[in-house]
Amino acid sequence: MTDVTKEQVLETLKTVRGPDLEHNIVELGMVSDVFISDGKVYFSITVPAERAKELEPLRLAAERVIKELPGVKGALVALTADKKAAPASAPAASPAAHAGHGHEGHAHAPQQPPRAGKIGVPGIKSIIAVASGKGGVGKSTTAVNLALGLQANGLRVGILDADIYGPSMPRLLKISGRPTQIDGRIINPMENYGLKVMSMGFLVDEETAMIWRGPMVQSALLQMLREVAWGELDVLVVDMPPGTGDAQLTMAQQVPLAGAVIVSTPQDLALIDARKGLNMFRKVEVPVLGIVENMSYFIAPDTGTRYDIFGHGGARREAERIGVSFLGEVPLTVSIRETSDAGTPLVASEPNGIVAGIFRDIAAKVWEQLHGQPQRPAPAIIFE
């Protein structure tokens, strides 16, 4: 099997007519961000913002012809909404764009106004986001252990890695390989420790640099959410990328998030950025379930002396100041770092440990915030 090239992709896309019915989408300059990795082809098609939904068949036609190329394992095509694109008076998409499709596709117009009603994901009862205002605060590690804590408390849980540029879940959960597909479109999630998992890290090589612009990120996120066979889940935990960019807005505006958990370290610098993330969720009317103070303190393993390396209590004071729940303090320990690097999260590998107990308690508080009723953490099961 030969590797497909960018030139082959563009040449093939010349068979898809543009909205004017006279030129193809390559000649019209509508194709951009062509990216190829491990036999999968990614690109975007720029269309007028007001016609994005109408031109969805154009995206489907482009996706189809690329999937038919020898050597192509899959294709992800996004419509980029651009008010300066082809004239709004251009005719409808060509009949060729409509041919060969027996199903309706999803609209990929990230810059359109959000729908009045957010569409849920069949089988998933609650979706929660784990977010931080900046990187380096241990958000992904917290998300994994929170998901495992919810599971340990008796819930069916999945986790979506929404960090397109720096996916962490394959390593944190020690999952390798590629997911399988159902009928060439719906993806079976990967699984470990009883968690169903989806991540861009399963689709591209670990060292591949993703150079997508916002619309491609938004499209990939929605496909990983809606075109995955999650099955029946009580909770889907979404590990958000750091900051308050396109991915966060996409999830907040187009997905019925039940709430968000904010992760911060105690020092003022991290809390400043955490406030930004918290305010973003409030502006888009996503409930903030609470704040976790990560790396809250360090206990020296040789002496037992406690050190507040990043200060202490900043997240608790911030939670009290703004009137949200303080979910708990997670210490900075060598075992958290070691188990994260090894892909054996503490809640799974050391279920009877102090830190695992902290995460189960945080998970119980999150569930209480979601449903307004206490959920006592299930006792750890010991095999002797």
Side-chain angles (χ1 to χ4, degrees), residues 60 98-105:
L60 292 173
H98 291 264
H101 299 284
H103 63 275
E104 290 292 327

Side-chain angles (χ1 to χ4, degrees), residues 81-135:
D82 185 356
K83 293 181 179 180
K84 297 179 181 179
S89 59
S94 81
H98 291 264
H101 299 284
H103 63 275
E104 290 292 327
H106 298 288
H108 290 257
Q111 296 179 29
Q112 286 183 298
R115 300 172 184 174
K118 300 174 184 177
I119 301 174
V121 181
I124 299 179
K125 295 180 180 178
S126 299
I127 304 175
I128 62 173
V130 178
S132 64
K134 64 181 296 180

Side-chain angles (χ1 to χ4, degrees), residues 130-145 163 168 172 239-243 248 261-275 277 291-297 310 315 328-333 336-337 340 359 362:
V130 178
S132 64
K134 64 181 296 180
V137 299
K139 170 190 54 60
S140 294
T141 301
T142 300
V144 164
N145 283 289
D163 194 342
S168 302
L172 282 171
D239 178 29
M240 304 291 282
Q248 289 84 347
V261 173
I262 306 297
V263 180
S264 180
T265 49
Q267 76 268 37
D268 291 340
L269 189 61
L271 287 168
I272 289 172
D273 291 317
R275 290 184 196 112
I291 300 177
V292 174
E293 183 172 279
N294 197 30
M295 308 182 198
S296 184
Y297 54 89
F310 299 109
E329 302 173 346
V330 180
L332 176 64
T333 71
I336 289 180
R337 193 270 302 167
S340 296
F359 278 116
I362 290 172

Side-chain angles (χ1 to χ4, degrees), residues 136-210:
V137 299
K139 170 190 54 60
S140 294
T141 301
T142 300
V144 164
N145 283 289
L146 171 62
L148 288 166
L150 288 163
Q151 182 196 63
N153 291 350
L155 302 174
R156 298 166 297 178
V157 185
I159 187 162
L160 170 63
D161 187 348
D163 194 342
I164 301 297
Y165 299 117
S168 302
M169 290 306 137
R171 182 172 290 264
L172 282 171
L173 287 167
K174 203 174 184 179
I175 302 175
S176 59
R178 307 292 189 202
T180 58
Q181 286 185 294
I182 304 171
D183 297 329
R185 187 163 183 86
I186 302 300
I187 300 173
N188 283 312
M190 306 294 272
E191 189 169 341
N192 200 11
Y193 304 112
L195 295 178
K196 292 184 177 180
V197 190
M198 187 60 206
S199 169
M200 183 58 69
F202 301 140
L203 305 177
V204 300
D205 294 332
E206 187 177 50
E207 297 181 1
T208 298
M210 304 299 289

Side-chain angles (χ1 to χ4, degrees), residues 8 35 64 67 126 148 182 239-240 250 260 285 287 313 335 347:
Q8 288 175 303
F35 176 77
R64 174 175 56 82
K67 283 183 175 179
S126 299
L148 288 166
I182 304 171
D239 178 29
M240 304 291 282
T250 296
E285 299 181 343
S335 60
V347 174

Side-chain angles (χ1 to χ4, degrees), residues 2-330:
T2 57
D3 293 334
V4 66
T5 65
K6 180 178 178 180
E7 289 72 25
Q8 288 175 303
V9 169
L10 292 174
E11 192 63 31
T12 302
L13 290 174
K14 289 180 181 179
T15 63
V16 181
R17 290 186 185 179
D20 65 355
L21 292 177
E22 296 180 2
H23 304 87
N24 63 66
I25 59 176
V26 176
E27 291 174 340
L28 291 172
M30 299 172 67
V31 179
S32 62
D33 300 327
V34 178
F35 176 77
I36 303 169
S37 175
D38 192 31
K40 297 180 179 64
V41 180
Y42 309 83
F43 61 92
S44 59
I45 301 174
T46 303
V47 300
E50 66 275 11
R51 296 189 61 196
K53 185 175 182 179
E54 172 193 350
L55 294 177
E56 169 66 7
L58 192 71
R59 185 192 72 82
L60 292 173
E63 183 180 85
R64 174 175 56 82
V65 298
I66 294 303
K67 283 183 175 179
E68 292 174 352
L69 265 177
V72 171
K73 299 177 183 177
L76 192 157
V77 186
L79 287 186
T80 302
D82 185 356
K83 293 181 179 180
K84 297 179 181 179
S89 59
S94 81
H98 291 264
H101 299 284
H103 63 275
E104 290 292 327
H106 298 288
H108 290 257
Q111 296 179 29
Q112 286 183 298
R115 300 172 184 174
K118 300 174 184 177
I119 301 174
V121 181
I124 299 179
K125 295 180 180 178
S126 299
I127 304 175
I128 62 173
V130 178
S132 64
K134 64 181 296 180
V137 299
K139 170 190 54 60
S140 294
T141 301
T142 300
V144 164
N145 283 289
L146 171 62
L148 288 166
L150 288 163
Q151 182 196 63
N153 291 350
L155 302 174
R156 298 166 297 178
V157 185
I159 187 162
L160 170 63
D161 187 348
D163 194 342
I164 301 297
Y165 299 117
S168 302
M169 290 306 137
R171 182 172 290 264
L172 282 171
L173 287 167
K174 203 174 184 179
I175 302 175
S176 59
R178 307 292 189 202
T180 58
Q181 286 185 294
I182 304 171
D183 297 329
R185 187 163 183 86
I186 302 300
I187 300 173
N188 283 312
M190 306 294 272
E191 189 169 341
N192 200 11
Y193 304 112
L195 295 178
K196 292 184 177 180
V197 190
M198 187 60 206
S199 169
M200 183 58 69
F202 301 140
L203 305 177
V204 300
D205 294 332
E206 187 177 50
E207 297 181 1
T208 298
M210 304 299 289
I211 53 175
W212 292 349
R213 292 184 294 184
M216 287 294 286
V217 171
Q218 294 164 349
S219 180
L221 272 179
L222 292 177
Q223 285 191 270
M224 287 199 299
L225 178 70
R226 302 194 189 283
E227 297 181 13
V228 171
W230 292 108
E232 298 294 323
L233 296 179
D234 296 303
V235 183
L236 178 68
V237 175
V238 181
D239 178 29
M240 304 291 282
T244 53
D246 291 324
Q248 289 84 347
L249 287 174
T250 296
M251 295 300 297
Q253 292 177 339
Q254 300 197 34
V255 177
L257 292 176
V261 173
I262 306 297
V263 180
S264 180
T265 49
Q267 76 268 37
D268 291 340
L269 189 61
L271 287 168
I272 289 172
D273 291 317
R275 290 184 196 112
K276 296 176 184 177
L278 189 147
N279 288 331
M280 183 205 72
F281 284 113
R282 283 185 160 178
K283 284 182 179 179
V284 293
E285 299 181 343
V286 173
V288 176
L289 303 175
I291 300 177
V292 174
E293 183 172 279
N294 197 30
M295 308 182 198
S296 184
Y297 54 89
F298 174 71
I299 303 294
D302 52 347
T303 65
T305 304
R306 172 174 169 152
Y307 298 94
D308 295 333
I309 297 175
F310 299 109
H312 181 74
R316 182 188 293 274
R317 290 189 295 272
E318 184 65 17
E320 293 172 352
R321 186 184 72 82
I322 60 180
V324 301
S325 295
F326 180 68
L327 298 173
E329 302 173 346
V330 180

